[in-house]
């Protein structure tokens, strides 16, 4: 009996304590709906339609507001002005990465996506510079993507124009581009190492974006009860680690400092240059996680965008016809498309931009955090507070893009049919944390899509008006519904 009383008493104390902590913290943070103890605003958020929910809250609380996901507050930035003011004008303060317990366990703060501070700066600088150097090398990244585009077309030819679900093939190509950037060579699509790598990456993506994982992240006490999934995650990272180690050994033997071939070579050169007695961020463990991050960030994103693009092209045959007309006029049949063609293909460029705007792939970006105590629009945001950046509120702005819920390449064209740039085009986010692979991703989207459309007519199994393009929301990403199509050789 006494024990029960004591238990109830201490629970009450905990509850009061958390209420008190919440209310003193809330006084200075931006306004927001009143949170429940422990659960916060969890029950007020429709997990099926988070973006719409945030839009609804912003109508009540303004463009900068606070939500509690579980016990932790997150400051939401909604709309172009707030996002730009935070990520550009206060770039340094808002460049932190929000820590989610699951990712923390997986990456241990290493790599580029989930690191912070000096390690993040060094790793990001190294990665961007290496991608840039490889872009200019003897065998440039453009060559690699063009090669992959041809292999992709060959693989699609094997379907013989019969109905297929393009998911698998479309995820091989972007994964292989990262492979050829990191390991020098692409793989055959049937290579066992390649298939295993893809399987491990897919499994991690699936686990990390499951609804259960979102719940674990908000209520970290549950993590140890999540049946083994974080162990599976780490096992998959370990697999990639040992594969990478093998490759690094091979590279060490054939390294020519004057002629680096890939990401691994640049890492080995960097290692040679750093003083072994000095503390450095260029450790093997950090490199392993960085490579893992390139795969994690660069495969699913690009392949989902490609898959969604094809669905939208099936839904809008008039748009597809205009793109194909432009391809045949500018590129013709006898050669592969290259990046130089893009400036002569405003319509195609506009279509790809509109695909990215419309599908809103990562509606709330990845979680940010403030790197120090920050004063923002008269609010006080303590160091380490999570920040949610609503990219969808910018991409869906109805002043910049009239009728934003409609797919219309005209959103990126002027009256004369020239390509029209927009500051509101933020599918890669913006500021110091923005996507490190934007250049590569845009190259892949352009070269893969133009090469596919140069070689195939897309045929839908149902009539265009019956095609559903509503996204299936899944963790951080908006995915297209499953569909099939035929690639009919031209
Ligand atoms: C269509 C394809 C892609 C989209 C829509 C996309 C979008 C994004 C977004 C929204 C972020 C979060 C930015 C932020 O925190 O504010 C991000 C981060 C990142 N992306 Fe991409 N991405 C794509 C492709 C790629 C590719 C191909 C690579 C590979 C090189 C890549 C590498 C990264 C990395 C390394 C980060 C973390 C940057 C950091 O934390 O400093 N992404 N991406
Ligand atoms: C979210 O809600 C809006 C309006 O309430 C609706 O138009 C939209 O289709 C919904 N999105 C999803 C993914 O259900
Ligand atoms: C997108 O914009 C439309 C039109 O202004 C609006 O009705 C809709 O709620 C917005 N969607 C989201 C997710 O904010
Ligand atoms: C947003 O508000 C509209 C209108 O008040 C409501 O119909 C809709 O269900 C709300 N959507 C979400 C996801 O909360
Ligand atoms: C394209 O190649 C074919 C055969 O190789 C050739 O007959 C044709 O003249 C070429 N067309 C152009 C426009 O170069």
């Amino acid at each position: 009996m006494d024990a029960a009383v004591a238990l109830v008493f201490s629970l009450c104390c905990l509850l009061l304590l958390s209420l008190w902590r919440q209310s003193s913290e809330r006084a200075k943070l931006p306004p927001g709906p009143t949170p429940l103890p422990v659960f916060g605003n969890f029950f007020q958020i429709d997990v099926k339609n988070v973006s719409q929910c945030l839009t609804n809250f912003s109508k009540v609380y303004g463009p900068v507001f606070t939500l509690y996901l579980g016990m932790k507050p997150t400051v939401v930035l909604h709309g172009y002005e707030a996002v730009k003011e935070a990520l550009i004008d206060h770039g340094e303060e808002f460049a932190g990465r929000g820590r989610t317990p699951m990712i923390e366990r997986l990456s241990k703060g290493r790599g580029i996506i989930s690191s912070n501070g000096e390690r993040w700066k060094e790793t990001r600088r190294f990665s961007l510079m290496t991608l840039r150097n490889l872009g200019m090398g003897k065998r440039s990244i453009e060559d690699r993507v063009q090669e992959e585009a041809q292999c992709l077309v060959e693989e699609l030819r094997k379907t013989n124009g019969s109905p297929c679900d393009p998911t698998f093939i479309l995820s091989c190509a972007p994964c292989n581009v990262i492979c050829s950037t990191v390991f020098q060579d692409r793989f055959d699509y049937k290579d066992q190492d390649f298939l295993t790598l893809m399987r491990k990456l897919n499994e991690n993506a699936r686990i990390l974006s499951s609804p259960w994982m979102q719940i674990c992240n908000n209520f970290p006490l549950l993590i140890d009860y999540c049946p083994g999934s974080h162990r599976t995650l780490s096992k998959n990272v370990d697999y990639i680690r040992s594969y990478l180690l093998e490759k690094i050994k091979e590279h060490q033997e054939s390294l020519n400092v004057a002629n680096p071939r890939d990401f691994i070579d640049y890492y080995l050169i960097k290692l040679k240059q750093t003083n072994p007695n000095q503390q450095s961020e260029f450790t093997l463990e950090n490199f392993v996680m960085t490579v893992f991050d390139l795969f994690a960030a660069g495969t699913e994103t690009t392949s989902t965008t490609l898959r969604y693009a094809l669905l939208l092209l099936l839904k809008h045959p008039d748009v597809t016809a205009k793109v194909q007309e432009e391809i045949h006029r500018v590129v013709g049949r006898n050669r592969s498309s290259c990046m130089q063609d893009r400036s002569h293909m405003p319509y195609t460029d506009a279509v790809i931009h509109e695909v990215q705007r419309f599908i809103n792939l990562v509606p709330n970006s990845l979680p940010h955090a403030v790197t120090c105590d920050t004063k923002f629009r008269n609010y006080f945001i303590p160091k380490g507070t999570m920040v949610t950046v609503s990219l969808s509120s910018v991409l869906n702005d109805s002043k910049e893009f009239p009728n934003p819920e409609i797919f219309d390449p005209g959103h990126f064209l002027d009256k004369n049919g020239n390509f029209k740039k927009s500051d509101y085009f933020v599918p890669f986010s913006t500021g110091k944390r923005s996507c490190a692979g934007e250049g590569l991703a845009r190259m892949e989207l352009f070269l893969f899509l133009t090469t596919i459309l140069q070689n195939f007519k897309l045929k839908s199994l149902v009539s265009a008006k019956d095609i559903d393009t509503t996204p299936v929301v899944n963790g951080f990403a908006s995915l297209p519904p499953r569909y099939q199509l035929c690639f009919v050789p031209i």
Side-chain angles (χ1 to χ4, degrees), residues 141-142 144-153 156 169-178 189 298-299 302-303 306 310 327 337 339 352 440-456 487:
I141 292 193
E142 184 174 350
R144 293 172 215 237
V145 179
Q146 281 179 315
E147 177 190 12
E148 199 59 46
Q150 291 308 321
C151 298
L152 174 62
V153 161
L156 292 174
I169 301 179
L170 291 181
S171 56
C172 287
C175 184
N176 230 347
V177 168
I178 308 282
Y189 290 146
T299 302
T302 313
S303 78
L306 290 170
L310 294 187
I327 293 171
S337 54
M339 290 316 289
I352 296 174
L440 176 56
R442 295 190 51 197
M443 182 185 280
E444 290 186 54
L445 295 178
F446 180 77
L447 294 178
F448 288 156
L449 287 172
T450 51
T451 310
I452 291 173
L453 292 175
Q454 182 187 35
N455 288 282
F456 299 103
F487 294 91

Side-chain angles (χ1 to χ4, degrees), residues 46 48-49 52 56 470-473:
D46 175 3
K48 290 244 174 61
N49 208 335
Q52 188 59 49
N56 284 6
T470 320
V472 180
V473 181

